[in-house]
Amino acid sequence: MAQPIVQIRQLNKWYGNFHVLRDIDLDVAQGEKIVICGPSGSGKSTLIRCINRLEEHQEGTLMFDGEEIGDGTKSLEDVRKNIGMVFQQFNLFPHMTVLENCALAPMWVLQMPKAEAEAVARKFLERVRIPDQADKYPGQLSGGQQQRVAIARALCMNPKVMLFDEPTSALDPEMIKEVLDVMVELGDEGMTMVCVTHEMGFARQVADRVIFMDAGEIVEQNNPEAFFANPQNERTKLFLSQVL
Amino acid sequence: MSRRDALLQLVTLALVVAGIGWLIANVADNLDRQNIASGFGFLNERAGFGISQTLIDYDEDDSYRQVLIIGLLNTLLVSVLGIIFASVLGFLLGVGRLSRNWLISKIAMVYIEIFRNVPLLLQIMFWYFGVLRNLPSPRQAINIGDVMFLSNRGFALPSVSFMDGAGFYGLALLAIIVTAIGLRRRARKLFLATGQIVAFWKPLGIVSLAVLLLAGAVAGLPFAADIPSLRGFNFRGGMSVIPEFVALLLALSLYTAAFIAEIVRAGIMSVYQGQREAAAALGLSHNRALSLVVIPQSLRVIIPPLTSQYLNLTKNSSLAVAIAYPDIVSVFAGTTLTQVGQAIEIIFITMMVYLLLSLLTSWAMNRYNARIALVGQN
């Protein structure tokens, strides 16, 4: 079996005295789609933010594509350019057009010529179905459109993994579907994805594995059919009864 | 509008007009009685007093108009230099205040709290009476390498005069500037076309050195330094900077820098943390994230209050009068007014000068601000 793209062993993290992540073990295989769910404050966002080291962990090892991520990582930029991330609040750069948002990192990180970077940007804007908004500014778009731009911006770097941190939580209900549709397509195309989300329909449809976290631990994980039909742990049952 | 309202407004207007008319008549009457002329004719009269710092030729036989220009130039000199120093220092302090280095952050904090909480007039007096006036007399001046002398009469600095052949160095300087612009353009073009990030400073340094050596080979060193030396009770030769100027410039720069530091800090902090995270997640380095994402966004928050600080500094320079730095208020609204007595005209001209300076500054800064404003957001 091929080496997992992300390999997490006995990961522990504290905020001061607060133990946010406890003994996390997690492997993500190439092409695997994982959904992480759990009550708020369970550490699920913190966990995926550790993968591209927006958060630092204190104990355990975290490997991405064969390289350890930690204090000793030589070039964090080289790791991060291979990990796409989509945030709850979109975090588009408001002073740049949609096209500039997408072309920025390919130009400055991958050192792509401008024309090529813009061609790549237009290709992915086409994929998320907003090619006609390329010259607008983020502030002129709806939330759903902004989040699709954010996905396109991450894809422009041709990442090996995509991390989604509650991508639909800040959206109005009628816009959630347009973002999920893009994510489903991305999954169908074989992208490796780790998604923190409460969209259980999406989990059922796309995920290879659903992970339930509570109080900083991975409580239960299973394929979606078994996870939803037959949860083992009491906490999982309680959570599912609240969100479904 | 009802008839009653209209009538009321008419009456109010009539009263205001009558009031102003009475004031003017009263002033004219009083001026007449004291034999004070009105109008701007006095500007052509001989001033008859000396000024301690003149950027253009001036002597006592020149007119009050010349005094006005000298004062304005002195105000501009201290204001422009003050704005430059305050901006650089303020920016460094603002960034330093946010530094993760405990010592740097605390030093910046202590500086800001001291300088912004002591009245400016007091700071001007501190530098002037407390520091510069307490320097030794010219005979015991602090000697820096036999070329600079600090005394209670001011700073005596060496000046450079140019001889034949200095033009070659001018050409060399021109060549360096052209090279710098060319290299910048080339770097930008290459970056856009190929994505390569090309070196800029190193080739520029090499070219500069070569050009300067060439100029040296052709023209030698056609410069003469004029070093000040003590003659009698004061220094002669070189360039002399009066202590009033140094004190005012120091106080204005240091005081305003503290405010600018807070503005810069607020501007940088106003950029949502998620922007930095998004830039980092894309693989941009810390410095690139700062220059491409954070600073452009913080500028739109920084510019409007920064404009106010520039205006404040310029207007605060009128405190020069307290230490007799010859700014426009000191020599025109001060000495000239005392001699001529035409308060209305002189104060009016002085106010108009400040108004004009402020409007020009605001106009320039607003134009810049409009260019960097965000689209689609307020």
Side-chain angles (χ1 to χ4, degrees):
Chain A
M1 187 186 142
Q3 198 192 15
I5 184 99
V6 178
Q7 196 171 40
I8 301 173
R9 288 286 172 278
Q10 291 297 303
L11 189 85
N12 277 285
K13 175 174 174 61
W14 288 264
Y15 285 129
N17 289 326
F18 180 60
H19 202 165
V20 231
L21 295 176
R22 297 166 191 265
D23 300 333
I24 302 285
D25 285 315
L26 176 66
D27 282 356
V28 182
Q30 198 93 52
E32 193 177 18
K33 285 155 270 298
I34 292 180
V35 165
I36 304 177
C37 60
S40 67
S42 59
K44 48 197 194 307
S45 285
T46 310
L47 174 60
I48 69 164
R49 287 162 60 87
C50 280
I51 296 177
N52 63 354
R53 207 162 167 83
L54 287 181
E55 302 281 350
E56 295 176 5
H57 59 270
Q58 279 89 38
E59 276 179 17
T61 57
L62 201 162
M63 308 277 287
F64 172 78
D65 203 18
E67 187 176 358
E68 175 158 7
I69 298 180
D71 295 331
T73 309
K74 274 200 292 289
S75 170
L76 218 46
E77 284 93 49
D78 282 342
V79 175
R80 284 174 173 160
K81 71 184 185 192
N82 289 312
I83 305 177
M85 185 154 200
V86 176
F87 298 87
Q88 185 178 357
Q89 299 295 341
F90 330 135
N91 294 348
L92 294 178
F93 305 132
H95 59 302
M96 299 179 190
T97 65
V98 162
L99 193 67
E100 287 166 346
N101 262 278
C102 293
L104 181 78
M107 285 169 70
W108 288 97
V109 180
L110 303 180
Q111 310 213 337
M112 228 182 246
K114 187 178 184 206
E116 195 184 328
E118 290 188 348
V120 171
R122 285 188 195 282
K123 182 179 92 182
F124 284 106
L125 287 173
E126 190 97 35
R127 285 252 310 258
V128 300
R129 291 189 285 276
I130 34 176
D132 43 335
Q133 312 286 353
D135 295 320
K136 288 197 180 164
Y137 285 85
Q140 297 168 308
L141 304 185
S142 74
Q145 289 173 323
Q146 289 192 49
Q147 193 59 299
R148 285 186 281 148
V149 172
I151 294 173
R153 178 175 72 176
L155 291 175
C156 284
M157 295 295 287
N158 193 20
K160 293 177 178 163
V161 177
M162 284 285 285
L163 308 175
F164 291 86
D165 188 2
E166 306 207 26
T168 56
S169 301
L171 294 177
D172 291 335
E174 74 272 20
M175 293 172 182
I176 290 177
K177 188 171 177 299
E178 63 187 56
V179 172
L180 289 181
D181 285 348
V182 167
M183 289 169 65
V184 170
E185 276 179 30
L186 202 56
D188 290 343
E189 287 160 18
M191 174 61 76
T192 311
M193 293 162 69
V194 182
C195 313
V196 170
T197 179
H198 293 133
E199 297 298 330
M200 292 303 140
F202 171 79
R204 275 211 180 90
Q205 191 182 352
V206 176
D208 298 312
R209 186 153 47 122
V210 182
I211 291 174
F212 175 70
M213 282 182 74
D214 190 18
E217 310 177 286
I218 293 181
V219 175
E220 186 168 347
Q221 50 180 312
N222 216 327
N223 61 57
E225 296 78 38
F227 181 86
F228 289 111
N230 191 16
Q232 301 297 309
N233 191 290
E234 283 308 315
R235 287 189 277 178
T236 320
K237 287 178 193 166
L238 178 68
F239 176 75
L240 287 177
S241 74
Q242 283 162 344
V243 297
L244 289 180
Chain B
M1 203 190 300
S2 74
R3 276 195 146 172
R4 203 169 142 269
D5 284 348
L7 191 67
L8 213 61
Q9 296 207 10
L10 265 177
V11 171
T12 313
L13 185 68
L15 281 175
V16 169
V17 170
I20 293 175
W22 177 78
L23 274 176
I24 292 175
N26 190 40
V27 166
D29 196 34
N30 281 335
L31 290 177
D32 228 21
R33 217 172 295 165
Q34 294 176 36
N35 276 327
I36 296 175
S38 52
F40 295 96
F42 73 92
L43 283 173
N44 295 321
E45 288 166 23
R46 178 177 178 275
F49 61 92
I51 298 178
S52 59
Q53 175 185 297
T54 55
L55 295 182
I56 53 174
D57 283 341
Y58 171 82
D59 65 47
E60 292 171 10
D61 289 329
D62 279 323
S63 63
Y64 288 119
R65 174 172 307 164
Q66 195 73 357
V67 169
L68 172 64
I69 294 169
I70 298 270
L72 173 60
L73 288 177
N74 284 343
T75 292
L76 283 175
L77 179 71
V78 81
S79 302
V80 170
L81 286 178
I83 284 174
I84 294 171
F85 290 151
S87 303
V88 172
L89 183 62
F91 195 85
L92 291 177
L93 283 165
V95 173
R97 183 81 182 77
L98 291 172
S99 166
R100 279 190 215 166
N101 183 313
W102 185 88
L103 189 65
I104 291 178
S105 154
K106 286 292 174 269
I107 288 175
M109 187 189 85
V110 169
Y111 175 95
I112 291 166
E113 293 310 332
I114 290 176
F115 281 89
R116 110 189 141 127
N117 289 314
V118 174
L120 176 58
L121 183 57
L122 216 55
Q123 296 193 30
I124 293 173
M125 290 176 158
F126 168 77
W127 290 113
Y128 187 63
F129 297 112
V131 178
L132 295 169
R133 275 284 163 187
N134 285 337
L135 287 173
S137 69
R139 283 170 182 279
Q140 278 88 43
I142 299 169
N143 181 342
I144 301 176
D146 269 340
V147 292
M148 281 171 67
F149 302 91
L150 315 185
S151 72
N152 60 7
R153 297 282 192 90
F155 296 172
L157 307 174
S159 62
V160 176
S161 53
F162 303 105
M163 299 182 303
D164 280 349
F168 284 104
Y169 281 88
L171 284 179
L173 198 65
L174 197 69
I176 291 169
I177 294 171
V178 169
T179 312
I181 296 173
L183 279 171
R184 259 274 166 258
R185 285 223 179 126
R186 177 172 158 270
R188 186 170 161 74
K189 222 167 124 191
L190 271 174
F191 174 67
L192 293 180
T194 68
Q196 269 183 73
I197 295 168
V198 208
F200 172 72
W201 292 109
K202 209 169 148 189
L204 182 65
I206 294 171
V207 170
S208 307
L209 195 69
V211 171
L212 285 176
L213 285 176
L214 188 69
V218 175
L221 283 173
F223 304 106
D226 189 5
I227 295 168
S229 59
L230 192 64
R231 301 269 167 72
F233 293 108
N234 208 349
F235 288 94
R236 291 286 145 80
M239 184 170 65
S240 163
V241 182
I242 60 174
E244 293 79 17
F245 172 77
V246 178
L248 186 64
L249 180 61
L250 261 177
L252 285 174
S253 310
L254 298 179
Y255 175 78
T256 312
F259 289 90
I260 292 179
E262 285 295 89
I263 290 169
V264 168
R265 177 166 80 111
I268 292 177
M269 281 173 74
S270 75
V271 179
Y272 174 56
Q273 180 62 24
Q275 294 286 312
R276 264 166 266 230
E277 288 182 352
L282 285 167
L284 289 166
S285 69
H286 180 77
N287 288 342
R288 286 265 151 73
L290 215 56
S291 65
L292 294 171
V293 175
V294 178
I295 290 179
Q297 290 186 64
S298 60
L299 277 184
R300 87 202 140 94
V301 181
I302 291 174
I303 298 296
L306 187 65
T307 310
S308 297
Q309 289 304 324
Y310 287 176
L311 300 183
N312 279 347
L313 190 147
T314 309
K315 291 179 292 177
N316 285 340
S317 73
S318 61
L319 289 170
V321 76
I323 55 170
Y325 171 72
D327 82 320
I328 186 171
V329 171
S330 184
V331 296
F332 193 66
T335 315
T336 303
L337 174 55
T338 319
Q339 293 191 0
V340 179
Q342 284 184 249
I344 295 175
E345 291 86 347
I346 289 178
I347 296 295
F348 175 77
I349 292 174
T350 313
M351 279 165 56
M352 284 304 121
V353 166
Y354 278 106
L355 185 64
L356 198 69
L357 287 181
S358 293
L359 288 177
L360 273 175
T361 312
S362 300
W363 176 78
M365 297 291 277
N366 286 343
R367 273 189 61 130
Y368 179 66
N369 203 36
R371 240 183 53 202
I372 58 170
L374 291 184
V375 180
Q377 280 177 1
N378 299 317

